[in-house]
């Protein structure tokens, strides 16, 4: 069968040429006579894979030398606990809650100290980003936390919050490598890779070195201390070898595509095709205020639950997968990550126009 257009929010679409490369190397990785799935993480072949992956990521993001790149398991959700366990030195942190994942991180942090919700967009179902230019940042806060792109609700911070000198920690799971970032503006930037970079099962953390120390909360498990990963080049235990290998291939694919500037232009063009249609449609409408729209996740509705359900069913039959919206928003959501080709978005809009004509 032919490949579908996969609009899943994660695990999500991967570049076809990356999948083909991995397919070609599945049984014999570069003359080793084995798959990367089978090889020792202590082998020379794998050491080259992880070293090259880190080098390419540093190159793509222009990561400063005083930041560590850590490949960790447990996904972004484990970071909700690891961050306060490692960084809540004064038992206080400020959280900006703009969606379900920031809310979960905020709730988890409450187990380890005082987590202050200093701004939120909960009043309008997280359909906008609150003004973060002059927030009540706590004087003794250890950090300010955001989820930069909200996968479920389709919002994105276009400007980073004014943290008034406090360290900024950002979950960038669903916008990772979608556009250039200035890493030096963050104390820590991290994300699960299963949305824009690789298969599920890993999170990449980029952390300023001065934050990584043995001074963590009493009882913090060895595998939940950033120092464990930093001191052992992410190989204190067996890492997610195959995921690192696949991420490395995606980093190289992004380089071939022209890097993060080119990727941003590609993503802006794709998003414009869909948003432009939503803005003039008589049936469909976006759920996010225009100035805060994500380039990666586009939620939309018809305003009629039965019609939404009909659209999801018919779109699936037409080869468009995973367009059903999250239960908290309803309707539909198209996740159009880096690897979604322009053709996929154009075909989706064609289908939406046809559906509108037939059902108005």
């Amino acid at each position: 069968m032919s490949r579908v257009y996969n609009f899943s929010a994660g695990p999500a679409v991967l570049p076809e040429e990356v999948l083909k490369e991995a397919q070609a190397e599945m049984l014999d990785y570069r003359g080793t006579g084995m798959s990367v799935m089978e090889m020792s993480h202590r082998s020379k072949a794998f050491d080259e894979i992880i070293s090259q992956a880190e080098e390419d990521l540093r190159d793509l993001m222009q990561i400063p030398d005083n930041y560590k790149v850590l490949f960790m398991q447990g996904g972004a959700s484990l970071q909700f606990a690891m961050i306060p366990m490692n960084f809540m030195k004064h038992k206080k942190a400020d959280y900006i809650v703009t969606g379900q994942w920031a809310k979960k991180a905020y709730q988890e942090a409450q187990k380890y100290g005082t987590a202050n919700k200093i701004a939120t967009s909960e009043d309008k179902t997280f359909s906008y980003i609150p003004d973060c230019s002059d927030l009540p940042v706590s004087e003794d806060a250890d950090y300010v936390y955001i989820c930069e792109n909200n996968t479920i609700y389709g919002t994105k911070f276009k400007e980073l919050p004014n943290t008034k000198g406090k360290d900024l920690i950002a979950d960038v799971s669903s916008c990772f490598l979608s556009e250039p970032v200035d890493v030096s503006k963050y104390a820590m930037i991290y994300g699960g890779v299963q949305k824009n970079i690789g298969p599920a099962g890993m999170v990449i953390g980029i952390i300023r070195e001065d934050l990584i120390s043995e001074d963590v909360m009493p009882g913090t498990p060895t595998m939940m201390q950033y120092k464990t990963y930093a001191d052992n080049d992410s190989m204190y235990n067996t890492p997610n070898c195959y995921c690192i290998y696949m991420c490395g291939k995606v980093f190289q694919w992004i380089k071939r595509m022209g890097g993060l500037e080119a990727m941003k232009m590609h993503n802006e063009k794709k998003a414009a095709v869909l948003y432009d249609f939503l803005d003039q449609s008589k049936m469909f409408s976006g759920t996010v205020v225009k100035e805060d729209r994500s380039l990666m996740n586009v939620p939309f509705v018809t305003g009629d639950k039965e019609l939404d359900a009909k659209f999801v069913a018919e779109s699936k039959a037409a080869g468009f997968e995973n367009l059903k919206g999250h239960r908290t928003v309803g309707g539909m959501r198209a996740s159009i990550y880096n690897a979604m080709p322009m053709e996929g978005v154009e075909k989706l809009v064609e289908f939406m126009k046809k559906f509108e004509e037939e059902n108005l």
Side-chain angles (χ1 to χ4, degrees), residues 225-277:
Q225 296 179 34
Y226 294 120
K227 197 170 191 305
T228 302
Y229 295 86
D231 288 352
N232 295 279
D233 299 322
S234 301
M235 291 206 285
Y236 176 82
N237 71 330
T238 309
N240 192 335
C241 297
Y242 200 77
C243 190
I244 291 167
Y245 159 76
M246 289 297 290
C247 290
K249 287 202 172 296
V250 172
F251 300 155
Q252 290 178 359
W253 172 77
I254 294 172
K255 282 185 156 187
R256 291 195 297 274
M257 292 284 284
L260 297 186
E261 286 286 357
M263 197 55 68
K264 183 185 182 186
M265 288 174 61
H266 170 63
N267 289 326
E268 285 174 339
K269 285 175 184 172
K270 280 190 302 184
V273 170
L274 185 47
Y275 284 127
D276 287 351
F277 169 70

Tab-separated table of all heavy atoms in Angstrom, residues 225-277:
chain	number	residue	atom	x	y	z
A	225	GLN	N	19.491	12.301	37.965
A	225	GLN	CA	20.420	13.404	38.173
A	225	GLN	C	21.102	13.738	36.838
A	225	GLN	O	21.686	12.861	36.201
A	225	GLN	CB	21.479	13.023	39.214
A	225	GLN	CG	20.908	12.780	40.598
A	225	GLN	CD	21.961	12.391	41.613
A	225	GLN	OE1	23.096	12.853	41.565
A	225	GLN	NE2	21.582	11.525	42.553
A	226	TYR	N	21.018	14.979	36.429
A	226	TYR	CA	21.623	15.372	35.148
A	226	TYR	C	23.123	15.122	35.143
A	226	TYR	O	23.706	14.823	34.099
A	226	TYR	CB	21.316	16.835	34.834
A	226	TYR	CG	19.848	17.083	34.578
A	226	TYR	CD1	19.122	17.970	35.371
A	226	TYR	CD2	19.175	16.431	33.547
A	226	TYR	CE1	17.767	18.193	35.134
A	226	TYR	CE2	17.829	16.647	33.311
A	226	TYR	CZ	17.125	17.524	34.110
A	226	TYR	OH	15.794	17.732	33.886
A	227	LYS	N	23.743	15.215	36.307
A	227	LYS	CA	25.190	15.006	36.394
A	227	LYS	C	25.573	13.586	35.969
A	227	LYS	O	26.639	13.367	35.382
A	227	LYS	CB	25.690	15.282	37.820
A	227	LYS	CG	27.205	15.484	37.913
A	227	LYS	CD	27.610	15.991	39.284
A	227	LYS	CE	29.077	16.448	39.290
A	227	LYS	NZ	30.037	15.456	38.834
A	228	THR	N	24.702	12.637	36.249
A	228	THR	CA	24.959	11.244	35.847
A	228	THR	C	25.117	11.152	34.336
A	228	THR	O	26.022	10.479	33.828
A	228	THR	CB	23.805	10.332	36.314
A	228	THR	OG1	23.673	10.439	37.738
A	228	THR	CG2	24.048	8.884	35.931
A	229	TYR	N	24.250	11.837	33.608
A	229	TYR	CA	24.300	11.824	32.137
A	229	TYR	C	25.476	12.651	31.629
A	229	TYR	O	26.199	12.236	30.718
A	229	TYR	CB	22.989	12.368	31.556
A	229	TYR	CG	21.798	11.507	31.877
A	229	TYR	CD1	21.102	11.681	33.070
A	229	TYR	CD2	21.370	10.516	31.002
A	229	TYR	CE1	20.005	10.881	33.382
A	229	TYR	CE2	20.276	9.715	31.294
A	229	TYR	CZ	19.600	9.902	32.496
A	229	TYR	OH	18.530	9.112	32.796
A	230	ALA	N	25.673	13.824	32.233
A	230	ALA	CA	26.731	14.733	31.781
A	230	ALA	C	28.116	14.130	31.972
A	230	ALA	O	28.993	14.256	31.112
A	230	ALA	CB	26.623	16.066	32.516
A	231	ASP	N	28.319	13.452	33.098
A	231	ASP	CA	29.638	12.874	33.412
A	231	ASP	C	29.950	11.638	32.586
A	231	ASP	O	31.110	11.230	32.481
A	231	ASP	CB	29.731	12.505	34.900
A	231	ASP	CG	29.835	13.727	35.802
A	231	ASP	OD1	29.990	14.845	35.275
A	231	ASP	OD2	29.757	13.559	37.037
A	232	ASN	N	28.916	11.023	32.016
A	232	ASN	CA	29.104	9.758	31.303
A	232	ASN	C	28.692	9.828	29.835
A	232	ASN	O	28.437	8.799	29.208
A	232	ASN	CB	28.310	8.649	32.012
A	232	ASN	CG	28.833	8.362	33.405
A	232	ASN	OD1	29.813	7.641	33.572
A	232	ASN	ND2	28.191	8.948	34.428
A	233	ASP	N	28.660	11.042	29.287
A	233	ASP	CA	28.310	11.227	27.869
A	233	ASP	C	27.027	10.494	27.493
A	233	ASP	O	26.948	9.844	26.442
A	233	ASP	CB	29.470	10.777	26.967
A	233	ASP	CG	30.723	11.596	27.217
A	233	ASP	OD1	30.603	12.810	27.446
A	233	ASP	OD2	31.828	11.002	27.209
A	234	SER	N	26.038	10.568	28.377
A	234	SER	CA	24.715	9.945	28.188
A	234	SER	C	24.762	8.428	28.146
A	234	SER	O	23.815	7.783	27.691
A	234	SER	CB	24.031	10.470	26.906
A	234	SER	OG	23.869	11.871	26.962
A	235	MET	N	25.883	7.841	28.606
A	235	MET	CA	25.998	6.384	28.542
A	235	MET	C	26.348	5.759	29.900
A	235	MET	O	27.105	4.816	29.980
A	235	MET	CB	27.008	5.982	27.465
A	235	MET	CG	26.490	6.288	26.072
A	235	MET	SD	27.190	5.252	24.779
A	235	MET	CE	28.800	5.967	24.625
A	236	TYR	N	25.753	6.295	30.974
A	236	TYR	CA	25.913	5.664	32.285
A	236	TYR	C	25.275	4.279	32.246
A	236	TYR	O	25.810	3.303	32.755
A	236	TYR	CB	25.235	6.530	33.354
A	236	TYR	CG	25.261	5.922	34.739
A	236	TYR	CD1	26.384	6.048	35.547
A	236	TYR	CD2	24.143	5.240	35.249
A	236	TYR	CE1	26.419	5.492	36.824
A	236	TYR	CE2	24.159	4.694	36.514
A	236	TYR	CZ	25.299	4.818	37.304
A	236	TYR	OH	25.325	4.271	38.565
A	237	ASN	N	24.096	4.217	31.627
A	237	ASN	CA	23.454	2.926	31.345
A	237	ASN	C	23.285	2.823	29.832
A	237	ASN	O	23.726	3.701	29.098
A	237	ASN	CB	22.109	2.818	32.065
A	237	ASN	CG	21.052	3.732	31.454
A	237	ASN	OD1	21.377	4.783	30.910
A	237	ASN	ND2	19.789	3.360	31.547
A	238	THR	N	22.663	1.750	29.372
A	238	THR	CA	22.459	1.614	27.930
A	238	THR	C	21.465	2.661	27.460
A	238	THR	O	20.320	2.670	27.905
A	238	THR	CB	21.921	0.208	27.588
A	238	THR	OG1	22.752	-0.773	28.193
A	238	THR	CG2	21.885	-0.008	26.082
A	239	PRO	N	21.867	3.552	26.574
A	239	PRO	CA	20.933	4.566	26.079
A	239	PRO	C	19.995	3.972	25.032
A	239	PRO	O	20.108	2.789	24.676
A	239	PRO	CB	21.864	5.614	25.460
A	239	PRO	CG	23.031	4.816	24.970
A	239	PRO	CD	23.203	3.686	25.949
A	240	ASN	N	19.101	4.791	24.545
A	240	ASN	CA	18.185	4.360	23.480
A	240	ASN	C	18.938	4.430	22.148
A	240	ASN	O	18.805	5.372	21.370
A	240	ASN	CB	16.944	5.259	23.466
A	240	ASN	CG	15.839	4.696	22.595
A	240	ASN	OD1	16.093	3.933	21.675
A	240	ASN	ND2	14.613	5.073	22.875
A	241	CYS	N	19.731	3.408	21.908
A	241	CYS	CA	20.691	3.419	20.794
A	241	CYS	C	20.030	3.663	19.437
A	241	CYS	O	20.492	4.496	18.655
A	241	CYS	CB	21.472	2.107	20.753
A	241	CYS	SG	22.486	1.809	22.214
A	242	TYR	N	18.968	2.929	19.158
A	242	TYR	CA	18.367	3.044	17.833
A	242	TYR	C	17.726	4.415	17.638
A	242	TYR	O	17.788	4.995	16.548
A	242	TYR	CB	17.340	1.939	17.591
A	242	TYR	CG	17.071	1.740	16.112
A	242	TYR	CD1	17.986	1.056	15.313
A	242	TYR	CD2	15.940	2.279	15.501
A	242	TYR	CE1	17.776	0.900	13.946
A	242	TYR	CE2	15.724	2.122	14.143
A	242	TYR	CZ	16.640	1.439	13.366
A	242	TYR	OH	16.438	1.291	12.011
A	243	CYS	N	17.152	4.951	18.704
A	243	CYS	CA	16.548	6.285	18.612
A	243	CYS	C	17.621	7.344	18.342
A	243	CYS	O	17.419	8.249	17.527
A	243	CYS	CB	15.791	6.602	19.898
A	243	CYS	SG	14.779	8.085	19.794
A	244	ILE	N	18.754	7.232	19.013
A	244	ILE	CA	19.862	8.172	18.790
A	244	ILE	C	20.332	8.093	17.332
A	244	ILE	O	20.581	9.112	16.681
A	244	ILE	CB	21.021	7.886	19.771
A	244	ILE	CG1	20.585	8.244	21.193
A	244	ILE	CG2	22.288	8.659	19.381
A	244	ILE	CD1	21.505	7.730	22.290
A	245	TYR	N	20.423	6.871	16.828
A	245	TYR	CA	20.813	6.638	15.426
A	245	TYR	C	19.830	7.312	14.466
A	245	TYR	O	20.229	8.020	13.526
A	245	TYR	CB	20.853	5.120	15.198
A	245	TYR	CG	20.751	4.614	13.786
A	245	TYR	CD1	21.824	4.677	12.906
A	245	TYR	CD2	19.571	3.989	13.355
A	245	TYR	CE1	21.721	4.163	11.619
A	245	TYR	CE2	19.459	3.472	12.082
A	245	TYR	CZ	20.541	3.567	11.206
A	245	TYR	OH	20.432	3.046	9.938
A	246	MET	N	18.514	7.142	14.734
A	246	MET	CA	17.503	7.745	13.860
A	246	MET	C	17.505	9.270	13.969
A	246	MET	O	17.386	9.977	12.959
A	246	MET	CB	16.115	7.182	14.204
A	246	MET	CG	15.920	5.741	13.796
A	246	MET	SD	16.023	5.484	12.002
A	246	MET	CE	14.510	6.271	11.449
A	247	CYS	N	17.653	9.776	15.177
A	247	CYS	CA	17.727	11.240	15.351
A	247	CYS	C	18.924	11.803	14.595
A	247	CYS	O	18.827	12.858	13.951
A	247	CYS	CB	17.840	11.594	16.831
A	247	CYS	SG	16.340	11.295	17.794
A	248	GLY	N	20.049	11.096	14.676
A	248	GLY	CA	21.245	11.523	13.957
A	248	GLY	C	20.995	11.633	12.464
A	248	GLY	O	21.466	12.573	11.800
A	249	LYS	N	20.232	10.695	11.925
A	249	LYS	CA	19.906	10.734	10.490
A	249	LYS	C	19.010	11.933	10.172
A	249	LYS	O	19.151	12.574	9.122
A	249	LYS	CB	19.218	9.428	10.064
A	249	LYS	CG	20.187	8.247	9.995
A	249	LYS	CD	19.650	7.152	9.101
A	249	LYS	CE	20.697	6.071	8.872
A	249	LYS	NZ	21.886	6.558	8.147
A	250	VAL	N	18.076	12.238	11.082
A	250	VAL	CA	17.200	13.393	10.873
A	250	VAL	C	18.000	14.694	10.957
A	250	VAL	O	17.784	15.619	10.160
A	250	VAL	CB	16.030	13.390	11.886
A	250	VAL	CG1	15.231	14.701	11.802
A	250	VAL	CG2	15.106	12.201	11.623
A	251	PHE	N	18.975	14.767	11.870
A	251	PHE	CA	19.824	15.971	11.943
A	251	PHE	C	20.523	16.191	10.598
A	251	PHE	O	20.587	17.321	10.092
A	251	PHE	CB	20.889	15.841	13.035
A	251	PHE	CG	20.348	15.642	14.437
A	251	PHE	CD1	21.124	15.009	15.413
A	251	PHE	CD2	19.086	16.086	14.789
A	251	PHE	CE1	20.643	14.833	16.694
A	251	PHE	CE2	18.588	15.903	16.080
A	251	PHE	CZ	19.378	15.270	17.031
A	252	GLN	N	21.034	15.116	10.018
A	252	GLN	CA	21.737	15.232	8.738
A	252	GLN	C	20.775	15.600	7.611
A	252	GLN	O	21.127	16.356	6.701
A	252	GLN	CB	22.490	13.936	8.449
A	252	GLN	CG	23.675	13.748	9.393
A	252	GLN	CD	24.435	12.453	9.188
A	252	GLN	OE1	24.094	11.638	8.340
A	252	GLN	NE2	25.478	12.254	9.972
A	253	TRP	N	19.543	15.079	7.690
A	253	TRP	CA	18.515	15.429	6.697
A	253	TRP	C	18.209	16.923	6.771
A	253	TRP	O	18.101	17.593	5.740
A	253	TRP	CB	17.260	14.591	6.955
A	253	TRP	CG	16.077	14.987	6.119
A	253	TRP	CD1	15.859	14.689	4.806
A	253	TRP	CD2	14.944	15.772	6.537
A	253	TRP	NE1	14.666	15.235	4.382
A	253	TRP	CE2	14.083	15.890	5.426
A	253	TRP	CE3	14.571	16.364	7.746
A	253	TRP	CZ2	12.877	16.594	5.491
A	253	TRP	CZ3	13.375	17.058	7.812
A	253	TRP	CH2	12.539	17.172	6.689
A	254	ILE	N	18.079	17.468	7.993
A	254	ILE	CA	17.801	18.902	8.150
A	254	ILE	C	18.948	19.730	7.576
A	254	ILE	O	18.732	20.753	6.912
A	254	ILE	CB	17.552	19.266	9.633
A	254	ILE	CG1	16.262	18.604	10.136
A	254	ILE	CG2	17.468	20.792	9.818
A	254	ILE	CD1	16.033	18.751	11.636
A	255	LYS	N	20.174	19.256	7.789
A	255	LYS	CA	21.329	19.948	7.198
A	255	LYS	C	21.229	19.960	5.678
A	255	LYS	O	21.475	20.993	5.040
A	255	LYS	CB	22.634	19.266	7.645
A	255	LYS	CG	23.075	19.623	9.056
A	255	LYS	CD	24.431	18.996	9.338
A	255	LYS	CE	25.164	19.756	10.429
A	255	LYS	NZ	26.542	19.277	10.609
A	256	ARG	N	20.868	18.808	5.106
A	256	ARG	CA	20.741	18.735	3.647
A	256	ARG	C	19.612	19.647	3.146
A	256	ARG	O	19.671	20.153	2.028
A	256	ARG	CB	20.474	17.291	3.194
A	256	ARG	CG	21.646	16.359	3.377
A	256	ARG	CD	21.469	15.071	2.591
A	256	ARG	NE	20.335	14.256	3.006
A	256	ARG	CZ	20.369	13.356	3.985
A	256	ARG	NH1	21.493	13.175	4.687
A	256	ARG	NH2	19.299	12.650	4.281
A	257	MET	N	18.612	19.851	3.966
A	257	MET	CA	17.480	20.712	3.603
A	257	MET	C	17.839	22.192	3.688
A	257	MET	O	17.062	23.056	3.276
A	257	MET	CB	16.289	20.431	4.524
A	257	MET	CG	15.658	19.066	4.336
A	257	MET	SD	14.633	18.958	2.858
A	257	MET	CE	13.171	19.835	3.394
A	258	GLY	N	19.022	22.491	4.274
A	258	GLY	CA	19.462	23.879	4.351
A	258	GLY	C	19.544	24.428	5.757
A	258	GLY	O	19.771	25.631	5.941
A	259	GLY	N	19.328	23.559	6.773
A	259	GLY	CA	19.446	24.009	8.155
A	259	GLY	C	18.156	24.605	8.697
A	259	GLY	O	17.093	24.537	8.061
A	260	LEU	N	18.234	25.216	9.871
A	260	LEU	CA	17.028	25.662	10.568
A	260	LEU	C	16.383	26.899	9.941
A	260	LEU	O	15.159	27.065	10.024
A	260	LEU	CB	17.335	25.908	12.051
A	260	LEU	CG	17.777	24.664	12.839
A	260	LEU	CD1	17.915	24.992	14.317
A	260	LEU	CD2	16.805	23.494	12.641
A	261	GLU	N	17.163	27.770	9.312
A	261	GLU	CA	16.565	28.923	8.618
A	261	GLU	C	15.672	28.436	7.473
A	261	GLU	O	14.542	28.908	7.297
A	261	GLU	CB	17.662	29.856	8.082
A	261	GLU	CG	18.360	30.686	9.135
A	261	GLU	CD	17.518	31.841	9.670
A	261	GLU	OE1	16.385	32.032	9.176
A	261	GLU	OE2	17.986	32.532	10.598
A	262	ALA	N	16.212	27.483	6.703
A	262	ALA	CA	15.446	26.922	5.587
A	262	ALA	C	14.231	26.154	6.101
A	262	ALA	O	13.144	26.210	5.508
A	262	ALA	CB	16.337	26.007	4.741
A	263	MET	N	14.404	25.453	7.213
A	263	MET	CA	13.305	24.677	7.785
A	263	MET	C	12.178	25.611	8.233
A	263	MET	O	10.994	25.315	8.037
A	263	MET	CB	13.829	23.857	8.968
A	263	MET	CG	12.926	22.724	9.394
A	263	MET	SD	12.485	21.566	8.085
A	263	MET	CE	14.054	20.786	7.747
A	264	LYS	N	12.541	26.743	8.821
A	264	LYS	CA	11.522	27.704	9.248
A	264	LYS	C	10.725	28.222	8.049
A	264	LYS	O	9.486	28.304	8.093
A	264	LYS	CB	12.176	28.881	9.987
A	264	LYS	CG	11.156	29.878	10.507
A	264	LYS	CD	11.796	31.097	11.141
A	264	LYS	CE	10.727	32.039	11.699
A	264	LYS	NZ	11.291	33.301	12.188
A	265	MET	N	11.412	28.568	6.961
A	265	MET	CA	10.727	29.053	5.758
A	265	MET	C	9.780	27.996	5.199
A	265	MET	O	8.638	28.289	4.831
A	265	MET	CB	11.762	29.451	4.697
A	265	MET	CG	12.510	30.732	5.020
A	265	MET	SD	13.836	31.077	3.818
A	265	MET	CE	12.893	31.240	2.308
A	266	HIS	N	10.260	26.763	5.171
A	266	HIS	CA	9.464	25.619	4.694
A	266	HIS	C	8.210	25.471	5.557
A	266	HIS	O	7.093	25.300	5.048
A	266	HIS	CB	10.364	24.373	4.764
A	266	HIS	CG	9.679	23.066	4.552
A	266	HIS	ND1	9.065	22.727	3.371
A	266	HIS	CD2	9.534	21.984	5.376
A	266	HIS	CE1	8.563	21.503	3.476
A	266	HIS	NE2	8.821	21.038	4.676
A	267	ASN	N	8.372	25.565	6.881
A	267	ASN	CA	7.245	25.403	7.799
A	267	ASN	C	6.268	26.565	7.718
A	267	ASN	O	5.054	26.375	7.819
A	267	ASN	CB	7.764	25.233	9.237
A	267	ASN	CG	8.431	23.886	9.444
A	267	ASN	OD1	8.032	22.893	8.853
A	267	ASN	ND2	9.456	23.839	10.280
A	268	GLU	N	6.782	27.778	7.531
A	268	GLU	CA	5.901	28.952	7.405
A	268	GLU	C	5.033	28.856	6.147
A	268	GLU	O	3.843	29.189	6.180
A	268	GLU	CB	6.733	30.236	7.378
A	268	GLU	CG	7.289	30.624	8.746
A	268	GLU	CD	8.229	31.820	8.698
A	268	GLU	OE1	8.781	32.117	7.618
A	268	GLU	OE2	8.419	32.443	9.752
A	269	LYS	N	5.631	28.386	5.063
A	269	LYS	CA	4.879	28.251	3.808
A	269	LYS	C	3.777	27.202	3.949
A	269	LYS	O	2.648	27.407	3.493
A	269	LYS	CB	5.827	27.873	2.660
A	269	LYS	CG	6.687	29.032	2.178
A	269	LYS	CD	7.681	28.560	1.124
A	269	LYS	CE	8.623	29.689	0.712
A	269	LYS	NZ	9.711	29.198	-0.167
A	270	LYS	N	4.118	26.082	4.570
A	270	LYS	CA	3.123	25.013	4.783
A	270	LYS	C	1.970	25.502	5.646
A	270	LYS	O	0.796	25.304	5.319
A	270	LYS	CB	3.767	23.809	5.473
A	270	LYS	CG	4.553	22.892	4.587
A	270	LYS	CD	4.942	21.620	5.327
A	270	LYS	CE	5.749	21.901	6.571
A	270	LYS	NZ	6.211	20.684	7.260
A	271	ALA	N	2.326	26.138	6.771
A	271	ALA	CA	1.293	26.603	7.707
A	271	ALA	C	0.396	27.643	7.053
A	271	ALA	O	-0.825	27.650	7.264
A	271	ALA	CB	1.953	27.171	8.964
A	272	ALA	N	0.985	28.514	6.227
A	272	ALA	CA	0.202	29.563	5.562
A	272	ALA	C	-0.871	28.970	4.659
A	272	ALA	O	-1.994	29.501	4.576
A	272	ALA	CB	1.128	30.474	4.761
A	273	VAL	N	-0.562	27.885	3.983
A	273	VAL	CA	-1.535	27.233	3.096
A	273	VAL	C	-2.778	26.829	3.891
A	273	VAL	O	-3.919	27.071	3.472
A	273	VAL	CB	-0.904	26.000	2.400
A	273	VAL	CG1	-1.963	25.173	1.685
A	273	VAL	CG2	0.179	26.429	1.419
A	274	LEU	N	-2.560	26.243	5.053
A	274	LEU	CA	-3.676	25.773	5.875
A	274	LEU	C	-4.389	26.934	6.583
A	274	LEU	O	-5.622	27.025	6.566
A	274	LEU	CB	-3.166	24.747	6.891
A	274	LEU	CG	-4.198	24.041	7.774
A	274	LEU	CD1	-5.385	23.534	6.973
A	274	LEU	CD2	-3.540	22.893	8.544
A	275	TYR	N	-3.628	27.828	7.193
A	275	TYR	CA	-4.253	28.953	7.903
A	275	TYR	C	-5.003	29.877	6.944
A	275	TYR	O	-6.076	30.390	7.278
A	275	TYR	CB	-3.204	29.744	8.692
A	275	TYR	CG	-2.759	29.074	9.972
A	275	TYR	CD1	-1.400	28.853	10.233
A	275	TYR	CD2	-3.680	28.670	10.945
A	275	TYR	CE1	-0.978	28.250	11.416
A	275	TYR	CE2	-3.262	28.068	12.134
A	275	TYR	CZ	-1.909	27.862	12.359
A	275	TYR	OH	-1.512	27.266	13.526
A	276	ASP	N	-4.453	30.106	5.757
A	276	ASP	CA	-5.125	30.977	4.783
A	276	ASP	C	-6.492	30.398	4.397
A	276	ASP	O	-7.476	31.130	4.252
A	276	ASP	CB	-4.271	31.184	3.532
A	276	ASP	CG	-3.075	32.098	3.786
A	276	ASP	OD1	-3.006	32.692	4.880
A	276	ASP	OD2	-2.204	32.190	2.895
A	277	PHE	N	-6.526	29.079	4.240
A	277	PHE	CA	-7.817	28.449	3.932
A	277	PHE	C	-8.785	28.586	5.109
A	277	PHE	O	-9.961	28.940	4.930
A	277	PHE	CB	-7.644	26.973	3.569
A	277	PHE	CG	-8.957	26.239	3.497
A	277	PHE	CD1	-9.854	26.506	2.469
A	277	PHE	CD2	-9.327	25.337	4.492
A	277	PHE	CE1	-11.089	25.872	2.419
A	277	PHE	CE2	-10.564	24.701	4.451
A	277	PHE	CZ	-11.446	24.968	3.412
